Amino acid sequence: MLFKIKKITADYYAVLSKLRRLRELADTIGEIGTDLQKDAEKAENQCKDCIHRFNIINESLKERDYRYIKHQMLFVASQAKTFEKSARKVNNDAQKLMIHINKRFKGGGKMILNVGLKKALEKYKDCPAITDKDGERTLTYGELDILSGRVAAKLLSLGIGYDDTVAVIMGRHMEYVAAELGILKMGAVVIPLIPSYPEKRVEYIKKDANVKLCIKEDFFNDIDSFEPVETKDSTEDSRVFMIYTSGSTGNPKGVIYRSKAVYAHIERNCKGLADKKPLVYAAPATMSFTVTIDEYYRNFFIGAHVHILSDSIRGDIAKISQYYADNKVTFGFIPPRMIKMYENKTDTLFMVSTGSERVVNVYSPDFKIVNKYGQTETVGCICTFTIDKPYENTPVGKPTEGISIKIVDENGLEVEKGKEGFIVATGILPYEYNNLPEQTAKTFKKNDDGTVSVNTGDLGKIDEGGNLVFVNRNDWMIKIHGQRVEPGEIEATMNLLDGVKASVVKAFEQEDGSMLLCGFYTGTASDEEVKEAVSAKLPKYMIPQVFVQMEAFPVNANGKVDRMAIEKPDMNLFLT
């Protein structure tokens, strides 16, 4: 009997977890989710009460108090019937909610990316779609439709068909986007790459993704000789992109994006933009980075005019500022390390997005700045926060519509509000890496309701305002003398010093097995000044033994600080 009681209790815990997930989903969907939210909360409380009674019975069995057990069993039987009725009502509410979600996220009746893009290209055919070469060339949506149709025709002539993988390796110009659109029209899979990738990385990706063809600059030499073809049939589960990101094994890993997940992402991130006119967007992201889903395809869905910032402009904040003014840009993306230096010279700008790394002391009274959180595994942005003042560690905010966020411990159990844990995102999201079943199982989990839970590998917490706060990457955590050290906390303290522009804290294993904690920084402060500032605010075990001033941090292909490339300093330089 003791075994049965434990088994029933475990089953109720599983039900309780599902009820919590349903309630969180209802909370993200708006007013239509109110009934589900209330009913799920009621059922949750009843489920918790049953669990509490089962635990009492479990303890009473150990003490053989059978009279008390009988009393509790009668109560549980009655409560279980009430809970069963509540659970049925929750199930009905959930079915209504899923019908609403399916209606909301539909393209041609379903969430099919190339169908949604076809509609956008036709709807806005006379509007400017894309500009490159520092404002010198522009195509309308209709012209982009024709060019991408010619790409699809040429791919067809080269034997490319449905679900074939095609890589794009070109510079930052409109032909890159036209190539991707052409691949999508064919129902094939886009593998975005950039010319600066090392040859070994490109060859690894081509082999891993089984690339059938690479589109390079010369692909377009005879493109006008091909007659545009129509968009081919696809499904919600069709592969549409494979985005490669850094892997812990030393080789990049490809995240497979399917049509439904990308379409849902676009719908979530269109909210609040479609009613803004005009929509002129400045796109600085590396063409192989997941942010390009927003920069191009999200913006195409709402008829925006996208300016591809050239390499000479996107890395220079003064030139970005001038470009915004000259081209009347209304919204764009500026990395955290650059946005502090942005000088607004235009009255057309209504919003700048930032993110992809910790945002420290960023705020402007002149225009809205939105801090965004996401990663390749979530198709980018899943949380947003409108910055209302400078923060030492700016929150990343609340989930976008259709996404729920949980903070869990090492056992996958939800932690109390305010406590740190692992960030898990749930919604219509990707669910696999390419050719990596073990890593897929660790990161992605398919749920019974059709959603996917993604273990981001990030540490975070929910603050008093209900906003998600990114703490650090789990794989950056350090233990020194048994104490857990969070590099992000040390970095935030270093960044508060006026003479420090940015910082990175790393630990290196020494020959004796101990860890050497090092604080790297850019700026004008001396290492003595930085050490003094850190020592005044942090416990001794969190103070780096060595501080190293650098001219600049190495960055990876996506423009993020490449922590892995920062090497252990030569300790002979610090001997006195």
Side-chain angles (χ1 to χ4, degrees):
M1 186 174 179
L2 184 60
F3 174 78
K4 286 184 178 180
I5 292 296
K6 287 183 176 179
K7 176 67 169 61
I8 293 170
T9 307
D11 290 342
Y12 267 75
Y13 270 116
V15 171
L16 182 63
S17 177
K18 289 182 179 180
L19 285 168
R20 282 175 176 166
R21 193 162 68 246
L22 281 171
R23 178 168 51 78
E24 289 163 357
L25 176 63
D27 186 45
T28 68
I29 211 70
E31 188 176 346
I32 196 170
T34 303
D35 288 343
L36 174 60
Q37 193 176 8
K38 289 180 179 177
D39 292 337
E41 187 174 2
K42 180 179 178 182
E44 261 189 71
N45 292 331
Q46 292 170 351
C47 188
K48 286 177 183 176
D49 194 39
C50 287
I51 290 171
H52 174 66
R53 300 289 174 176
F54 282 130
N55 286 331
I56 291 174
I57 292 169
N58 186 34
E59 291 301 316
S60 299
L61 279 169
K62 293 177 183 177
E63 298 173 7
R64 301 180 182 276
D65 188 350
Y66 296 112
R67 183 177 296 179
Y68 189 59
I69 291 170
K70 184 179 179 180
H71 170 74
Q72 291 295 332
M73 288 291 282
L74 289 170
F75 186 90
V76 166
S78 173
Q79 185 73 341
K81 287 181 180 179
T82 305
F83 171 66
E84 189 177 342
K85 290 179 182 178
S86 298
R88 280 199 297 269
K89 196 169 189 311
V90 168
N91 186 55
N92 291 334
D93 292 338
Q95 288 179 0
K96 290 178 184 177
L97 187 59
M98 290 311 295
I99 290 171
H100 167 74
I101 292 172
N102 287 332
K103 283 182 179 178
R104 181 172 180 82
F105 298 126
K106 66 180 181 179
K110 292 186 178 180
M111 298 162 69
I112 301 174
L113 180 62
N114 62 5
V115 173
L117 288 168
K118 177 184 177 181
K119 288 184 174 183
L121 292 170
E122 292 173 351
K123 180 179 180 180
Y124 304 110
K125 64 181 181 180
D126 296 324
C127 302
I130 195 161
T131 293
D132 67 0
K133 295 187 180 298
D134 297 342
E136 292 181 6
R137 289 198 307 172
T138 297
L139 288 183
T140 65
Y141 276 82
E143 291 167 337
L144 182 59
D145 191 16
I146 291 170
L147 180 57
S148 58
R150 296 186 193 280
V151 171
K154 183 169 182 178
L155 291 173
L156 187 63
S157 73
L158 294 171
I160 299 300
Y162 175 79
D163 200 48
D164 284 339
T165 48
V166 181
V168 183
I169 311 177
M170 291 194 292
R172 297 180 57 79
H173 44 73
M174 60 179 61
E175 284 81 5
Y176 197 116
V177 179
E180 289 191 343
L181 280 169
I183 296 167
L184 294 171
K185 283 186 174 185
M186 287 294 301
V189 187
V190 178
I191 315 289
L193 305 174
I194 55 176
S196 62
Y197 276 172
E199 185 178 345
K200 284 186 178 180
R201 183 182 181 90
V202 172
E203 290 304 313
Y204 175 85
I205 291 172
K206 286 166 64 176
K207 183 178 179 181
D208 183 65
N210 191 25
V211 169
K212 303 292 185 184
L213 177 73
C214 286
I215 295 180
K216 297 184 179 181
E217 311 285 347
D218 59 0
F219 180 90
F220 284 84
N221 289 347
D222 61 348
I223 201 67
D224 289 339
S225 65
F226 292 88
E227 285 298 315
V229 296
E230 289 296 314
T231 298
K232 305 298 181 183
D233 291 338
S234 294
T235 71
E236 289 187 331
D237 205 42
S238 295
R239 299 190 304 168
V240 288
F241 286 90
M242 203 181 297
I243 307 290
Y244 276 81
T245 184
S246 298
S248 57
T249 62
N251 290 320
K253 55 188 178 185
V255 184
I256 297 174
Y257 288 1
R258 297 183 183 270
S259 184
K260 187 176 183 179
V262 176
Y263 199 107
H265 169 85
I266 290 172
E267 284 280 319
R268 289 193 295 266
N269 287 277
C270 283
K271 191 174 182 181
L273 289 175
D275 57 342
K276 301 281 188 181
K277 299 295 179 187
L279 288 167
V280 183
Y281 183 88
T286 301
M287 301 304 282
S288 59
F289 193 23
T290 188
V291 172
T292 57
I293 301 293
D294 277 357
E295 296 206 315
Y296 301 102
Y297 304 104
R298 185 276 311 271
N299 286 332
F300 290 160
F301 265 51
I302 57 177
H305 180 188
V306 181
H307 286 249
I308 305 176
L309 297 185
S310 65
D311 285 324
S312 63
I313 289 178
R314 72 189 186 110
D316 187 323
I317 192 62
K319 290 180 178 179
I320 290 174
S321 178
Q322 193 59 51
Y323 193 93
Y324 273 36
D326 293 343
N327 294 276
K328 300 187 184 308
V329 171
T330 60
F331 68 130
F333 180 92
I334 300 177
R337 66 182 184 279
M338 297 177 71
I339 199 168
K340 288 182 183 180
M341 299 176 284
Y342 173 76
E343 180 185 355
N344 190 29
K345 298 179 179 180
T346 176
D347 59 0
T348 62
L349 185 66
F350 71 81
M351 183 182 74
V352 171
S353 299
T354 193
S356 79
E357 55 193 62
R358 189 189 298 271
V359 177
V360 180
N361 292 327
V362 168
Y363 172 70
S364 173
D366 300 327
F367 52 89
K368 182 166 73 172
I369 303 177
V370 178
N371 189 21
K372 295 188 172 184
Y373 169 77
Q375 56 182 213
T376 305
E377 286 80 355
T378 61
V379 199
C381 176
I382 52 171
C383 284
T384 63
F385 179 78
T386 300
I387 301 177
D388 56 345
K389 63 179 182 178
Y391 291 84
E392 291 182 18
N393 182 14
T394 307
V396 293
K398 293 182 173 63
T400 53
E401 187 176 277
I403 295 292
S404 64
I405 297 291
K406 287 173 64 175
I407 308 298
V408 304
D409 61 19
E410 293 178 351
N411 298 314
L413 300 175
E414 194 167 4
V415 302
E416 294 178 13
K417 185 177 178 180
K419 288 193 174 181
E420 292 179 12
F422 300 97
I423 301 172
V424 176
T426 299
I428 301 174
L429 298 167
Y431 56 79
E432 63 193 313
Y433 293 117
N434 190 51
N435 298 328
L436 294 170
E438 290 185 7
Q439 289 195 44
T440 292
K442 290 179 181 178
T443 303
F444 304 99
K445 178 190 174 186
K446 287 185 175 182
N447 301 312
D448 294 339
D449 59 5
T451 62
V452 176
S453 294
V454 178
N455 187 338
T456 65
D458 290 340
L459 291 170
K461 62 181 179 181
I462 304 298
D463 68 12
E464 292 180 358
N467 292 301
L468 175 64
V469 178
F470 168 78
V471 175
N472 222 324
R473 284 289 301 174
N474 178 48
D475 48 14
W476 295 345
M477 283 298 151
I478 304 162
K479 274 202 171 182
I480 295 180
H481 305 308
Q483 299 272 12
R484 192 179 84 164
V485 175
E486 296 180 1
E489 186 177 354
I490 306 172
E491 290 164 5
T493 304
M494 292 173 67
N495 292 339
L496 291 175
L497 190 63
D498 287 339
V500 173
K501 288 184 178 179
S503 61
V504 170
V505 172
K506 283 188 68 174
F508 301 89
E509 188 170 357
Q510 304 188 91
E511 291 182 3
D512 62 358
S514 64
M515 301 299 288
L516 175 70
L517 191 62
C518 301
F520 301 88
Y521 68 96
T522 59
T524 57
S526 68
D527 53 358
E528 291 86 359
E529 289 173 325
V530 180
K531 184 173 183 178
E532 184 178 346
V534 172
S535 300
K537 294 190 175 184
L538 297 177
K540 188 174 181 180
Y541 72 88
M542 291 183 69
I543 300 170
Q545 293 101 306
V546 174
F547 291 90
V548 182
Q549 186 179 24
M550 300 179 70
E551 289 186 11
F553 293 134
V555 295
N556 59 23
N558 292 330
K560 293 183 180 181
V561 174
D562 188 352
R563 302 174 72 97
M564 298 295 290
I566 299 176
E567 299 180 349
K568 179 181 176 181
D570 182 357
M571 294 307 296
N572 291 322
L573 299 176
F574 298 91
L575 296 176
T576 56

